[in-house]
Each structure stands twice: as C-alpha cells, then as structure tokens.
Amino acid sequence: QVQLVESGGGLVQAGGSLRLSCAASRSISSINSMGWYRQAPGKQREWVALITSTGSIAATDSVKGRFTISRDNARNTLYLQMNSLKPEDTAVYYCYAQTSITYWGQGTQVTVSS
C-alpha cells in the first residue's frame, strides 16, 4: 500500500512557475510508473505526465516544453516542475502510483490568473 500526499499548489500569475511535490509513505524505487493527472472545473480528469522506474518520461502535448516530471527515489518523492503557466493549466493536480493497484493522492489546487 502507498499513501501519497501532494503539496506545492497555489495561486500564480500567467507566466509564473510552481513545483508540485508528491511524498510517498514508502519507498518508490520499485514502483514502475508514477505521474500526474489534473482536473479542471467541469472537465474530466486529464493525464499530464508520467515517469517510470527506469527514468522514461512521457507528457501530454499541451505541457511539453513547460512541465518537467522527476522523481527522487531517495526522498520517496515525485515532482512536477511547471513553468510558463497558463490560465488553462488551472486545475486540481493529483499524483498517482501505478503498481498492481493505482494509488492516488488527495490533490492540490493550482490556479493561474491571467
């Protein structure tokens, strides 16, 4: 079992940056895939990015070149560095850990003002 706790969300102006963190309750080194989803008001949850245990990375087109996903196995923490933020990035951001079961964090709100 893995408990995930996100932090780092907040209010930022367009063009600004935020770094989200997702702290896991146990070692993440053996977790094959971890990543981020987001859900904007009135919209379905949208996949944002993932990183595998071997360091392979994938991201949705709308964030490529602006968001960077990383993981620190020593700190049991997943990160999402978000630069050049846009109002359309406003959403609740959720981290997840994919084992035989998918574990989710509680979410952190990101609001980008124009």
Side-chain angles (χ1 to χ4, degrees):
Q1 193 170 8
V2 182
Q3 292 180 326
L4 303 170
V5 178
E6 299 100 334
S7 61
L11 173 64
V12 64
Q13 288 188 333
S17 299
L18 285 173
R19 187 176 81 155
L20 305 184
S21 299
C22 173
S25 59
R26 67 159 178 86
S27 173
I28 65 171
S29 59
S30 63
I31 297 177
N32 286 337
S33 177
M34 298 185 71
W36 297 88
Y37 273 74
R38 65 186 179 185
Q39 188 165 19
K43 295 187 177 181
Q44 289 189 329
R45 192 172 291 193
E46 172 192 29
W47 171 74
V48 176
L50 68 83
I51 183 168
T52 70
S53 58
T54 58
S56 296
I57 290 172
T60 192
D61 286 347
S62 63
V63 308
K64 285 180 180 177
R66 300 188 299 121
F67 291 11
T68 302
I69 188 171
S70 62
R71 60 196 283 174
D72 185 338
N73 289 343
R75 296 180 184 271
N76 299 331
T77 303
L78 175 73
Y79 300 99
L80 186 67
Q81 177 67 44
M82 306 187 295
N83 299 328
S84 302
L85 282 161
K86 304 175 181 180
E88 51 264 43
D89 295 318
T90 295
V92 178
Y93 284 70
Y94 301 90
C95 68
Y96 70 90
Q98 181 73 54
T99 64
S100 58
I101 300 172
T102 302
Y103 297 94
W104 294 92
Q106 82 289 350
T108 185
Q109 176 70 47
V110 171
T111 303
V112 184
S113 63
S114 57

